[in-house]
Amino acid sequence: MFTEILAAAGTGAPQNSFGFWEAMQQGGVIAWFTLAVLAIMSVSSFYILFSKLFEQNKVMKQGVAARAAFVKASSLKESAAKLEKNSAYRQIIDDGIKAEEDHARLTDPVEAHDWLHGSLNRSEALINSKLATGLPWLATVGATSPFIGLFGTVIGIYRALIKIGIAGQASIDAVAGPVGEALIMTALGLAVAVPAVLAYNWLQGRNKRIAEDLSGFSNDVLGYISSDGAVRPSAPVKGTAPAKPAAAPAAKPAVKK
């Protein structure tokens, strides 16, 4: 008889579950809206990360091919013909050739070096600007997603306080759902922000290295044009170590007379 009473009491007790979906369901429209915003920000951040990585790797390979073609070709036009049409390095060569041709049409005398230097700098700036697209969004996500998560946290704590006021006492059953929702929103905001910040810094560093290589290649093109092809970069020989300077011969001892 006693065991039957215990079994009936066990079945009649409220069964509360405090999982992720249960907490979100208690949060209502605001919780689901905050979750949707954070999900969109996270997906877009990873899309930008992988797309920019693909683009950067492509430009780096174009740089290797451009230097090899530049060293072996007999003219800039021949170098450009060996590169892809959408190559960033071909754009620099084409802009340099066009700037050289346009300089002869100028009615106001301008120093050829300054004209070519400005044209090549403008070409570099356009390429760097294209590589930087999408990175401001990563910075925005990294800066704002913790506050969006904090917004959900504030709403969850507010709902917990309302339940405490209605119940008249702070019972675990009354506040576990809203507090759990608040903690989940805080964690989601940080989970979105940290990868976005890391991706932004990593991609910025790679863009800086690409910009330095573009600047060096642009300087080589400027030197080639200014010298009528006499100045060009030397191709490093693969698999060979730089020759060590020969040791100076030992001085012979002076012979005493």
Side-chain angles (χ1 to χ4, degrees):
M1 185 68 178
F2 183 71
T3 57
E4 292 178 358
I5 295 175
L6 288 179
T11 55
Q15 300 293 329
N16 294 329
S17 55
F18 303 104
F20 173 79
W21 297 113
E22 288 75 13
M24 294 302 300
Q25 288 173 0
Q26 290 184 21
V29 177
I30 296 178
W32 286 109
F33 177 77
T34 306
L35 178 63
V37 171
L38 291 175
I40 292 172
M41 297 175 77
S42 178
V43 171
S44 60
S45 298
F46 279 101
Y47 172 78
I48 292 174
L49 170 62
F50 291 117
S51 62
K52 300 310 290 186
L53 277 178
F54 175 79
E55 185 179 7
Q56 288 175 343
N57 290 333
K58 185 178 180 180
V59 173
M60 289 178 179
K61 291 179 181 178
Q62 290 173 356
V64 176
R67 291 193 176 277
F70 189 23
V71 170
K72 297 178 182 178
S74 58
S75 65
L76 283 179
K77 291 184 178 180
E78 183 181 345
S79 300
K82 293 181 179 180
L83 302 178
E84 301 175 3
K85 291 183 178 180
N86 61 343
S87 172
Y89 290 81
R90 178 169 180 172
Q91 178 180 335
I92 292 178
I93 295 177
D94 290 339
D95 290 343
I97 295 173
K98 186 177 184 301
E100 184 182 18
E101 295 173 351
D102 291 343
H103 181 263
R105 303 188 184 98
L106 296 178
T107 56
D108 187 15
V110 179
E111 180 94 22
H113 180 274
D114 295 339
W115 174 258
L116 292 171
H117 190 267
S119 300
L120 291 174
N121 279 346
R122 184 170 61 251
S123 181
E124 290 178 50
L126 290 174
I127 296 171
N128 291 329
S129 177
K130 182 179 179 182
L131 288 173
T133 54
L135 297 188
W137 174 249
L138 290 179
T140 302
V141 171
T144 59
S145 57
F147 296 101
I148 296 176
L150 184 61
F151 170 75
T153 302
V154 171
I155 297 300
I157 297 298
Y158 175 71
R159 293 179 59 255
L161 293 175
I162 290 178
K163 284 196 172 185
I164 292 174
I166 294 175
Q169 58 181 356
S171 63
I172 296 298
D173 291 342
V175 300
V179 172
E181 172 204 340
L183 297 177
I184 288 172
M185 289 303 168
T186 302
L188 288 178
L190 295 176
V192 173
V194 172
V197 172
L198 293 177
Y200 174 80
N201 292 330
W202 186 33
L203 294 176
Q204 278 283 60
R206 287 167 62 90
N207 276 349
K208 184 178 180 181
R209 291 193 294 271
I210 293 174
E212 291 173 353
D213 190 68
L214 285 170
S215 179
F217 183 80
S218 175
N219 188 60
D220 292 338
V221 172
L222 178 61
Y224 185 95
I225 296 175
S226 301
S227 64
D228 292 331
V231 177
R232 63 171 62 197
S234 58
V237 181
K238 295 182 179 180
T240 59
K244 296 181 179 180
K252 295 181 180 181
V255 179
K256 296 182 179 180
K257 293 183 179 180

